Amino acid sequence: MKKWQIIGSTTALSSVLLLGACGGAAEKANSGDTKSSGDKLSGEVKGDGSSTVAPVMEKINEEFSSEQPDVSVSIGVSGTGGGFEKFIAGETDFANASREIKPEEEEKLKKEKIDYTAFKVAQDGLTVAVNKDNKFVNELSMDELAKIYSGKAKTWKDVNPKFPAKKIKAFSPDQSHGTYDFFSEEVMDKKDLQSEKNADTNVIVKSVQDNKDSVGFFGYNFYQENKDSLKAVKIKGEDGKAVKPSEKSVKDGSYALSRPLFVYAKNKSLEDNKAFHGFMEFVVDKAPKASKDAGYVPLNDSEYKKDKEELKKLKK
C-alpha cells in the first residue's frame, strides 16, 4: 500500500503525515519577526489541519523551501477539526481544511478577534471504495450509503436484495477529520457514523484492502495512490445517474461527492508576517500543478485569480 508522507523544509516525523514545528514557540511563529531582502524572505510560518489537504501543501512547501531556505514552514496534520482548534487558539497562521468552517468555529474566531480569509486550493472527490475482489458492488445511491453507515444494513443483502448476505465491515475516518464531517452532512443528514473509525487514512485504506466484504471512504488521492488494490464505487447523484470519481467528474461537479479543499489564513499574519504572505502567494501560484501532482483536481483558473486578488488586499 502506498502512503502519503510529509516532506518539505523540515523533517518528516511519521507516516501519519505529521510535520513538526521547526523550532520556536507558536507566538514566535506568528510574531511577524521576519526579514526580507528583495524577494528573499526569512522567518517562521506555522499551519495545521487536514490530512487530505496536506499532500498538496507539502508539494508546494518542498518547492518553496528550495527557493526560500530561510523561511521555516511547519505543517501539522491533526485533522480539520484539530487544525481549527489550533487556529482559534492563535497557535497557527493557517488551517488546512477539507470542509467549510462550521458556524461554531466562526463564532469562536470572532470571540478571539481573529479575522481570516478562505482560499480554495484544489477540488477533491471523496471516494467510496470496496475491496478489489468485490464483484457485486459497482454503484451505490446516497440512501444505500446511509443504510451502511447508519448500521441499519448489517449485510450487503440488506443494502440491495441482489447482493449476497455477506456481513459488511464499514470503515471511515474519525471525527477529527473534515472528511468525516463532509460525509456526515452530505450522506447522513449530519448523523454520526456507525463504522470502525481511525484517525489515520492509511489505516482505513489498508483495512479495505485486507477485508473482502468491506467498504471505506477517503480523499481521491488516497484512491489514486492505491487504485490497483481498491475498487472505486460509482455514486448515484440526485439525477439518478451513477458516476465514478475522475478528474473530469470531480472538476465539473457531476460526481456527487465532489468538494473543494481550503486553506484558512489569518489576516493579521498575512499583513504582519512577510514570510507568510510570500508563502501564500507561492501556494496560490503553485496550487494547480501541486493539486494534480498530489492526486487531486485543479480548480478553474478564475478561482485562483480570485485568491490572488484577495491576497493583494492583505499586503502591507
Side-chain angles (χ1 to χ4, degrees):
M1 181 188 72
K2 294 183 180 178
K3 295 183 179 181
W4 281 107
Q5 190 166 11
I6 290 304
I7 51 178
S9 60
T10 55
T11 305
L13 296 183
S14 76
S15 62
V16 295
L17 299 175
L18 176 64
L19 183 65
C22 201
E27 57 268 23
K28 185 179 176 183
N30 294 319
S31 68
D33 184 16
T34 62
K35 299 175 185 177
S36 65
S37 176
D39 291 328
K40 286 296 178 184
L41 301 166
S42 66
E44 294 183 12
V45 176
K46 189 173 182 181
D48 204 299
S50 169
S51 62
T52 303
V53 183
V56 180
M57 293 297 283
E58 281 311 312
K59 284 188 177 295
I60 293 170
N61 188 28
E62 183 182 17
E63 190 173 346
F64 180 77
S65 67
S66 68
E67 292 193 16
Q68 299 287 356
D70 294 328
V71 178
S72 170
V73 180
S74 63
I75 305 174
V77 188
S78 58
T80 296
F84 276 129
E85 285 179 9
K86 293 182 180 182
F87 194 57
I88 291 163
E91 298 174 10
T92 54
D93 299 299
F94 66 93
N96 295 327
S98 58
R99 59 161 170 81
E100 291 186 358
I101 192 168
K102 294 179 179 179
E104 57 266 34
E105 292 164 337
E106 286 185 299
E107 284 302 313
K108 288 177 182 178
L109 284 166
K110 283 181 184 177
K111 187 177 178 182
E112 297 298 328
K113 297 181 180 178
I114 296 173
D115 295 323
Y116 65 87
T117 301
F119 297 93
K120 291 181 183 178
V121 292
Q123 192 77 1
D124 179 31
L126 185 150
T127 302
V128 178
V130 294
N131 187 278
K132 66 174 182 176
D133 293 327
N134 185 310
K135 305 299 183 187
F136 55 90
V137 179
N138 296 307
E139 60 185 53
L140 292 168
S141 67
M142 293 292 205
D143 286 343
E144 287 170 335
L145 278 174
K147 276 186 188 178
I148 294 168
Y149 280 95
S150 66
K152 289 180 181 177
K154 305 297 183 186
T155 70
W156 283 107
K157 194 174 183 66
D158 296 333
V159 178
N160 186 322
K162 295 179 182 178
F163 295 163
K166 295 182 176 181
K167 189 176 179 181
I168 299 170
K169 293 201 75 173
F171 299 95
S172 78
D174 68 12
Q175 291 92 330
S176 70
H177 285 262
T179 301
Y180 178 101
D181 294 327
F182 178 81
F183 189 92
S184 174
E185 186 167 333
E186 294 296 315
V187 179
M188 306 294 297
D189 195 27
K190 298 186 178 180
K191 294 183 178 68
D192 287 337
L193 278 60
Q194 302 303 310
S195 56
E196 188 172 317
K197 304 174 183 73
N198 201 288
D200 187 350
T201 306
N202 291 303
V203 173
I204 300 164
V205 171
K206 191 169 191 315
S207 296
V208 178
Q209 290 170 332
D210 291 347
N211 292 274
K212 195 172 180 180
D213 299 312
S214 63
V215 61
F217 62 87
F218 26 75
Y220 183 58
N221 70 320
F222 283 93
Y223 165 68
Q224 286 284 83
E225 283 294 296
N226 296 279
K227 60 185 177 183
D228 292 340
S229 58
L230 295 170
K231 178 181 172 182
V233 177
K234 293 179 181 179
I235 303 299
K236 288 183 183 178
E238 291 181 359
D239 60 1
K241 186 178 179 182
V243 178
K244 187 176 180 178
S246 68
E247 184 173 344
K248 181 180 182 300
S249 67
V250 169
K251 189 161 190 170
D252 65 21
S254 60
Y255 179 64
L257 294 175
S258 298
R259 59 175 176 169
L261 302 179
F262 301 92
V263 175
Y264 284 79
K266 187 184 296 182
N267 289 353
K268 184 169 176 55
S269 292
L270 286 170
E271 291 168 351
D272 296 346
N273 186 339
K274 291 179 181 178
F276 180 45
H277 197 283
F279 176 69
M280 284 305 300
E281 286 179 326
F282 202 85
V283 167
V284 175
D285 283 339
K286 302 297 181 181
K289 184 177 185 302
S291 59
K292 193 162 187 175
D293 290 346
Y296 295 114
V297 179
L299 301 166
N300 292 323
D301 291 342
S302 60
E303 295 279 1
Y304 295 118
K305 185 179 178 182
K306 194 185 301 180
D307 282 351
K308 288 178 183 179
E309 289 169 357
E310 288 299 317
L311 269 173
K312 283 180 183 177
K313 296 176 187 175
L314 294 162
K315 186 172 186 178
K316 281 189 176 181

